[in-house]
């Protein structure tokens, strides 16, 4: 599994820090474009808050549409971080090394972006800010002794997401300490001081390395329950609803979690391929890593498909007319059934067919395409769960309607993608997106075994 | 000084045999509760604000078509699905059996509407506005809501409160104004009718299809229907069958288990359509 | 933590151990055989006493079938899964896990009465006000042969596929021993591995075959577990519409299967003299897996519970009262304790996970937990809705618990005894360690010096 040539420390430092120390020519241009899109999206959101929700496509009964889909989507993307860095670190998979940092940072930014969605989608966001976002400082009507309703999944949501956000930020910052120290030693002036503060006096001696490893392992283990709980709780926004029959399914929690890992890991694979291309990191993000990610994705996608089939089968199992009405819309009415077929194809059959072929796994263009279609499919999945359930809520057919998103919603959705890209690009300028010490560690532990006439790559194992 | 509140349990009975679909209740509710005016575009966007709405279903094929009307309003469920899901406790069940909405707490997450099987909860998609000439028509007893707030039928709680203040606290008979002795100050149906303390829709219905009273009030019109509805639940619990062809009483979506406080009476069909 | 088996003597040692019958082994075999016979006695008594008409009295029998099915189905999956992930620590346990496939033959025998017991899908009394014409099943209106024929085909498929995997995996070992074996074993090995000469092409074909069969087995097992758990449990309790139950069933089976493997590994390491071949690394990594599965189990259970409990709908509250809070509350508490609380308390400690007895203890606890799970679910399902109540949409009365009588007790211990008995016999047939796999592993392991310390070097081909 070690196909590249051996690298020495100096080379690793020079090549991986290229994004920070010499910023490429196109960098500010790209940032400006993305920033502009984000500004447009923010003004559109402001326009929507000012005018009211009438500017969107929401109606009665479809009260939740694109924004909630987007919220669930970005929370889903955020699951890549823990999957790749925590789970693969605990199972000692060598091929995780280049992917962990990018995954963790993508997690932090997608969580932040996801949380903007519930904020703007509430009817009175100025009140929501007061209530959720300034929680430690300005309690909401607590003078009357009425605290937030902890019985609702909408309160479990921010609790879980903020816990995940806090622990992910901690995880990233602690993992970055040795790399900040490297940067501290190579910069001057204000950057030097800031990196110095972030590096917290890292000298790289044995005691500090030991603490660093223990911290990494502990944080990985502790963040795992948070990771599982976050998307479960988000899924329970829908699972707890008793009126929308197609949502009231016990399997939503693991279904959403596995779907999140599916879309998240695909997103990270895409990010890695992009990084490899724009920064020239061919020595670090090698074909073998993308290959391993693809094979992991086959397993995850199959698990996802199992949960999806279970959800649909048990939807029909009850033979309840209201649920059948929703499934009818999803599977027989155009254009919903077309979207349904596209979604299943894009999320499972097409990418898994691609990933089963070794040459396709090793071809980066095809892999990027596969990862993009997975994410399109998963976005559609959330949409097809949320909106048909609301469009055919119960059997009062007089109230059945449909949903047509307005341009306001499209702009804001595109704005969130631009926001995450912009944040990732900015961070690439500030911190290395491939962990330097992980790569150097891999080089140190790398060796070979001779078995008969064959030389097999090997690593040292510390326990 | 805290006055002891009388124990009311409000209930409404909707008689579908009497309903003609005239929408007088809809208009009365809109006038009483400061509901914004629904222009054509609101209907086309499916955002019309109607705390009570008449749903019209067609039965049969032309030329043997029949229209069926059913007024649907907030069912004030005992086991309301909208209540546990509001993050700010803007909706809760008061001790009179009604489900109430506190407008100034609402932040508009719309989860309550999503979880309501009857979709009776309305969201203010636009900032409500009235033409200048109509502003004097607004009811001073009812809050005017802004955009982003959920609202729904409250059983005209402002009228009920006025009735409770006048009859139970001050002890005054509505029509004559004489004092009611201290031990007998629970508002009954007659007093509600005379003092106009019934909800606007009930007051305005020309055929008395809507009836409203305390479920325990012997003099009120709803007690017998609620007793029968509760008996049906008991029968089902014991494992028996309820013979639906021999009773008119039913509740909407009973099988979901929301325990509504609104009972419907089936329409009696003198000329049923031939089943094809 | 790591062992470096001496490959030159390995084959001889392992085959000698396979042939020998030390006293403890014989005692265990006889004891298991007695339990097996007691189980048959219980079965016959029940068959004579209650017949096969009603499913109610057979709840415990179905629970035992499910228990055996869970262990024998999931155990081979362990070897398949960890071969797929190329985990080096799996090598000692692959044959142990695959040998459970032979115990799978019991599944086939035990399933036959189950086909007679299942109530029909169609309501024999037609549609009487409020009753469904067809009870709720995954087969909807009940196509031809459903569900008995399909379930039977499924169970046969699982057993046959797992036997195939066992054969394919044992092929090199049988080939190696076919010249030195005597008697029955010689005949069997020659028949089953006659053409194996260990050429490169054959090894590659074996590897590819194991990968493909493994994937197929995985999908088949999950599917058949979905069928069995839906037909014999979920469909029999009116009002129980639960999409996560097949998943919980699969996870419990993985837990029980893995637990059984860990217990077996501990026994053969401690008393079977295999210490030189089974290092602590297998227990160290395996215990992490068991801990993970245990946490997954409780997570899925909680997801089921909270979705049902939240809405306060009567139809769901009744199911919860029946299976969790009222009727089978004690069994549920034992289930929760043995499937989650106790194994979790055992497995979170690093020193315990690093030992051999720790994971084995946890394995034994989860097996007991799995037995409790099966009793709670299948006894509950068999007695939930007697007669025509099965065709209602909701369970209006929450029935009382059904306590086991003497025949039920005999059947339960008989089932466990039967499994142990067949497994012990199977170990006489094939070596309990996959000789070729452990030898392969030994080739990839070495001690090496790095900086100032000596560490394990692990070869990572491809």
């Amino acid at each position: 599994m070690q196909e590249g040539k051996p690298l020495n420390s100096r080379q690793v430092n020079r090549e991986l820090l290229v994004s920070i120390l010499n910023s490429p020519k196109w960098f500010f241009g790209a940032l400006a474009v993305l920033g502009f899109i984000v500004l447009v999206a923010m003004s559109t959101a402001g326009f929507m808050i000012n005018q009211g929700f009438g500017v969107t496509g929401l109606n009665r009964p479809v009260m939740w549409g694109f924004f909630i889909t987007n919220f669930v989507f970005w929370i889903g993307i955020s699951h890549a971080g823990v999957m790749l860095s925590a789970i693969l670190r605990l199972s000692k998979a060598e091929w995780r090394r280049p992917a962990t940092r990018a995954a963790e940072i993508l997690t932090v930014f997608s969580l932040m972006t996801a949380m903007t969605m519930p904020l703007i989608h509430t009817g009175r966001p100025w009140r929501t800010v007061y209530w959720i976002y300034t929680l430690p400082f300005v309690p909401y009507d607590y003078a009357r002794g009425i605290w937030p309703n902890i019985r609702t999944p909408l309160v479990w949501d921010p609790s879980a997401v903020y816990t995940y956000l806090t622990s992910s930020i901690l995880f990233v910052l602690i993992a970055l300490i040795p790399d900040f120290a490297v940067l501290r030693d190579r910069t001057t002036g204000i950057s030097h001081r800031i990196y110095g503060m972030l590096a917290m006096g890292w000298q790289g001696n044995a005691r500090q390395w030991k603490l660093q490893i223990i911290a990494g392992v502990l944080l990985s283990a502790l963040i795992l329950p948070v990771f599982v709980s976050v998307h479960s709780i988000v899924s329970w926004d829908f699972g707890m609803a008793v009126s929308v029959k197609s949502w009231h399914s016990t399997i939503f929690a693991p279904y959403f979690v596995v779907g999140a890992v599916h879309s998240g890991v695909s997103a990270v694979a895409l990010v890695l391929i992009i990084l490899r291309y724009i920064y020239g990191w061919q020595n670090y993000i090698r074909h073998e890593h993308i290959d391993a990610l693809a094979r992991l994705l086959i397993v995850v996608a199959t698990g996802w498909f199992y949960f999806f089939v279970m959800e649909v089968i048990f939807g029909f199992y009850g033979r309840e007319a209201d649920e059948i009405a929703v499934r009818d819309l999803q599977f027989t009415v155009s254009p919903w059934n077309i979207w349904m077929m596209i979604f299943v194809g894009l999320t499972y059959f097409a990418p898994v067919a691609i990933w089963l072929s070794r040459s396709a796994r090793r071809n980066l263009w095809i892999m990027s395409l596969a990862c993009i279609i997975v994410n399109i499919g998963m976005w559609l999945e959330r949409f097809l769960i949320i909106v048909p359930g609301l469009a055919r809520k119960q059997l009062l057919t007089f109230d059945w309607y449909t949903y047509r998103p307005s341009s306001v919603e499209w702009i804001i959705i595109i704005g969130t993608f631009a926001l995450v890209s912009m944040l990732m690009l900015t961070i690439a300028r500030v911190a290395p997106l491939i962990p330097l010490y992980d790569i150097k560690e891999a080089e140190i532990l790398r060796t070979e075994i001779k078995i008969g006439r064959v030389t097999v790559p090997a690593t040292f194992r510390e326990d | 000084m805290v006055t002891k509140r009388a124990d009311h349990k409000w209930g409404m009975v909707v008689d579908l045999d009497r309903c003609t679909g005239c929408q007088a209740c809809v208009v009365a509710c809109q006038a009483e509760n400061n509901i914004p005016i629904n222009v054509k575009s609101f209907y086309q966007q499916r955002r019309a604000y109607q705390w009570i709405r008449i749903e019209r279903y067609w039965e049969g094929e032309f030329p043997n078509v029949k229209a069926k009307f059913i007024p649907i309003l907030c069912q004030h469920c005992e086991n309301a699905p909208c209540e546990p899901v509001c993050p700010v406790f803007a909706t809760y069940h008061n001790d009179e059996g009604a489900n109430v909405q506190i407008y100034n707490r609402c932040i508009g997450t719309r989860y309550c509407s999503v979880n309501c099987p009857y979709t009776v909860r309305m969201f203010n998609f636009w900032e409500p506005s009235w033409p200048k000439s109509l502003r004097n028509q607004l009811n001073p007893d009812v809050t005017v809501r802004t955009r982003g707030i959920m609202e729904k039928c409250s059983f005209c709680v402002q009228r009920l409160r006025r009735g409770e203040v006048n009859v139970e606290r001050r002890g005054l008979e509505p029509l004559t104004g004489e004092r009611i002795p201290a031990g007998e100050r629970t508002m009954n149906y007659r007093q509600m009718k005379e003092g106009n303390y019934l909800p606007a829709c009930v007051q305005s219905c020309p055929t008395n299809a809507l009836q409203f009273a305390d479920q325990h009030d012997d003099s009120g019109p709803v007690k017998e229907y609620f007793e029968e509805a509760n008996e049906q639940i008991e029968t089902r619990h014991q494992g028996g069958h309820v013979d639906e062809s021999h009773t008119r009483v039913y509740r909407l979506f009973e099988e979901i288990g929301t325990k509504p406080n609104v009972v419907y009476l089936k329409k009696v069909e003198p000329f049923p359509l031939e089943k094809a | 933590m790591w062992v470096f088996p001496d490959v030159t003597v390995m084959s001889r040692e392992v085959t000698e151990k396979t042939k020998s019958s030390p006293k403890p082994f014989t005692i265990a075999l006889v004891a298991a055989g007695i339990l097996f016979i007691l189980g048959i006695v219980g079965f016959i008594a029940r068959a004579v006493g209650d017949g096969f008409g009603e499913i109610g009295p057979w709840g415990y029998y179905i629970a035992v079938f499910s228990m055996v099915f869970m262990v024998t189905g999931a155990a081979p999956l362990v070897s398949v899964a960890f071969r797929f992930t190329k985990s080096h620590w799996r090598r000692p346990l692959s044959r142990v896990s695959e040998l459970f496939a032979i115990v799978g033959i019991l599944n086939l025998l035990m399933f036959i009465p189950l086909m007679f017991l299942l109530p029909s899908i169609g309501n024999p009394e037609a549609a009487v006000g409020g009753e469904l014409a067809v009870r709720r099943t995954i087969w909807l209106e009940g196509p031809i042969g459903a569900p008995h024929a399909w379930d039977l085909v499924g169970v046969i498929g699982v057993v046959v596929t797992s036997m195939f995997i066992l054969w394919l995996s044992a092929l090199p070992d049988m080939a190696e021993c076919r010249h030195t074996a005597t008697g029955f074993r010689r005949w069997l090995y020659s028949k089953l591995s006659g053409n194996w000469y260990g050429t490169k092409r054959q090894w590659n074909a074996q590897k590819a075959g194991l990968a493909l069969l493994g994937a197929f087995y995985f999908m088949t097992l999950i599917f058949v577990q979905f069928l069995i758990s839906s037909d014999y449990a979920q469909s029999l309790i009116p009002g129980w519409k639960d999409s996560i139950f097949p998943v919980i069933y699969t996870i419990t089976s993985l837990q029980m299967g893995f637990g059984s493997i860990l217990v077996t590994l501990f026994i053969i390491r401690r008393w079977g003299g295999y210490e030189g071949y089974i290092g602590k690394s297998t227990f160290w990594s395996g215990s992490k897996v068991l801990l993970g599965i245990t946490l997954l189990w409780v997570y899925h259970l909680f997801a089921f519970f909270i979705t049902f409990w939240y809405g306060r709908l009567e139809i769901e509250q009744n199911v919860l009262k029946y299976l969790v809070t009222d009727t089978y509350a004690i069994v549920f508490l034992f289930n929760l304790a043995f499937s989650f609380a106790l194994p979790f308390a055992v497995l979170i400690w690093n020193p315990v996970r690093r030992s051999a007895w720790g994971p084995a203890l946890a394995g034994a606890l989860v097996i007991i937990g799995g037995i409790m799970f099966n009793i709670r679910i299948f006894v509950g399902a068999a007695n939930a809705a007697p007669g025509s109540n099965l065709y209602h949409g909701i369970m209006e009365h929450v029935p009382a618990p059904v306590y086991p009588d003497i025949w039920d007790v005999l059947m339960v211990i008989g089932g466990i005894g039967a499994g142990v008995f067949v497994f012990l016999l199977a170990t006489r047939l094939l070596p309990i360690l996959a000789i070729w796999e452990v030898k392969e592993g030994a080739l990839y392991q070495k001690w090496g010096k790095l900086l100032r310390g000596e560490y394990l070097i692990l070869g990572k081909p491809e």
Side-chain angles (χ1 to χ4, degrees), chain C residues 352-413:
Chain C
V352 171
R353 284 210 311 277
R354 221 172 265 139
S355 67
W357 60 267
L361 173 64
L365 291 170
V366 301
I367 294 176
I368 300 176
I371 297 176
M372 295 289 128
F373 175 83
N374 284 310
I375 290 179
R376 171 170 74 94
I377 296 289
F378 290 97
V379 175
N383 296 292
S388 68
N389 282 342
L390 194 54
Y391 299 94
H392 289 184
I394 174 178
M395 184 164 60
E396 284 105 358
H397 301 286
V398 177
V402 169
Y403 295 102
D405 62 11
I406 178 69
W407 307 127
D408 291 324
V409 172
L410 285 184
M411 281 199 283
V412 171
I413 61 176

Side-chain angles (χ1 to χ4, degrees), chain C residues 76-383:
Chain C
L77 199 58
V78 170
S79 114
V80 162
F82 293 113
R83 203 174 274 139
F84 175 73
T85 62
K86 304 194 184 68
S87 303
H88 52 90
W89 51 267
R90 78 170 189 282
R91 296 176 187 278
L93 61 76
S94 4
R95 183 61 47 71
V96 171
S97 70
E98 286 154 5
L99 275 179
F100 279 96
I102 297 188
V103 187
I105 297 178
L106 277 178
N107 285 336
L108 289 176
L109 293 172
M110 290 176 79
F111 185 69
I112 298 172
L114 255 66
M115 290 198 289
F116 299 106
L117 291 171
L118 201 58
S120 73
I121 292 185
N123 186 350
E125 294 162 20
V128 178
E131 287 192 9
L132 306 169
V134 177
R135 67 183 169 90
R136 274 205 190 131
T137 60
I138 51 174
W139 306 100
L140 298 177
E141 303 301 319
I144 295 179
H148 315 85
W150 294 96
D151 286 353
L152 180 66
V153 168
V155 173
I156 294 178
V158 166
V159 172
V160 167
T161 313
S162 60
M163 299 277 272
F164 244 115
I165 293 179
L166 173 64
W167 170 72
L168 200 52
S169 160
L171 206 43
D173 288 350
M174 290 194 287
E176 193 173 359
C177 301
R178 71 178 171 233
H179 296 298
T180 52
T182 51
F184 173 65
R185 280 198 203 93
R186 187 189 187 105
W187 174 82
L188 186 68
Y189 293 170
S190 328
K191 273 274 171 290
L192 290 176
S193 67
N195 283 332
W196 179 268
Y197 290 104
T199 63
K200 189 153 183 236
R201 199 153 153 264
Q202 284 180 327
W203 277 114
N204 283 339
Q206 188 223 28
K207 195 164 159 203
L210 278 173
L212 278 173
L213 262 181
F216 178 70
Y217 181 64
F218 171 68
M219 293 193 282
T220 311
L221 180 71
I222 307 276
F223 179 63
V224 175
Q225 284 188 338
F226 154 63
L227 290 183
I228 300 276
S229 65
S230 303
D231 284 333
Y232 287 93
Q234 210 179 140
S235 304
L236 296 176
I237 298 185
W240 189 16
K241 171 179 172 285
D242 182 6
S243 34
I244 211 177
F245 181 66
V247 185
I248 295 183
Y249 187 86
T250 303
I251 293 181
T252 314
S253 87
L254 286 175
Q255 211 189 19
M256 280 181 87
F258 202 69
S260 313
I261 293 174
L262 286 173
V263 169
T264 314
L265 276 177
F266 174 70
I267 292 175
I268 63 177
R269 187 173 184 269
R270 175 90 168 69
W271 291 292
Y274 283 98
E275 236 179 60
Y277 300 102
I278 305 177
K280 292 251 182 76
S281 68
T282 307
F283 294 98
W284 172 236
S285 305
S287 55
K288 270 189 272 199
V289 173
L290 187 59
L291 180 59
I293 300 179
T294 306
L295 288 169
L296 268 181
W297 183 86
V298 75
Y299 160 69
H300 283 78
L301 185 72
F302 181 73
F304 155 70
F305 179 75
I306 191 145
T307 311
F308 262 51
W309 174 78
Y310 188 84
R312 302 279 190 276
L313 301 182
E314 189 192 346
I315 193 173
E316 292 171 339
Q317 296 288 319
N318 283 351
V319 173
L320 281 183
K321 277 192 202 142
Y322 187 50
L323 291 177
V324 177
T325 53
D326 283 353
T327 306
Y328 288 99
I330 307 223
V331 188
F332 174 74
L333 281 173
F334 271 105
N335 185 191
L336 191 62
F338 280 94
S339 283
F340 168 66
L342 296 173
F344 180 71
V346 166
L347 288 174
I348 42 173
W349 304 105
N350 274 0
V352 171
R353 284 210 311 277
R354 221 172 265 139
S355 67
W357 60 267
L361 173 64
L365 291 170
V366 301
I367 294 176
I368 300 176
I371 297 176
M372 295 289 128
F373 175 83
N374 284 310
I375 290 179
R376 171 170 74 94
I377 296 289
F378 290 97
V379 175
N383 296 292

Side-chain angles (χ1 to χ4, degrees), chain A residues 50-72:
Chain A
N50 180 278
Q51 293 289 305
F53 268 75
V55 302
T56 65
L58 298 171
N59 53 62
R60 186 181 67 82
V62 185
M63 292 269 189
W64 281 355
F66 261 25
F67 292 140
I68 296 293
T69 311
N70 208 35
F71 166 64
V72 180

Side-chain angles (χ1 to χ4, degrees), chain A residues 278-338:
Chain A
I278 60 182
Y279 290 120
W281 284 341
Q282 281 80 6
N283 286 331
Y284 305 93
I285 301 175
R286 301 189 285 264
H287 287 282
E288 73 200 57
H289 300 117
I290 307 293
D291 189 312
L293 278 169
R295 281 184 279 151
L296 172 67
L297 278 168
I298 296 177
V299 175
V300 171
T302 309
W304 173 84
F305 191 63
Y306 167 59
F307 285 118
F308 167 68
V309 170
M310 284 292 117
E311 189 231 338
V312 173
I313 288 185
F314 282 97
F316 285 107
Y317 173 81
R319 283 182 292 133
E320 285 152 11
D322 41 8
E323 173 134 26
I324 302 282
V326 177
R327 302 290 169 185
D328 210 39
L329 178 68
Q330 284 176 331
F331 290 101
T332 60
V333 173
S334 164
W336 301 96
N337 59 351
I338 300 180

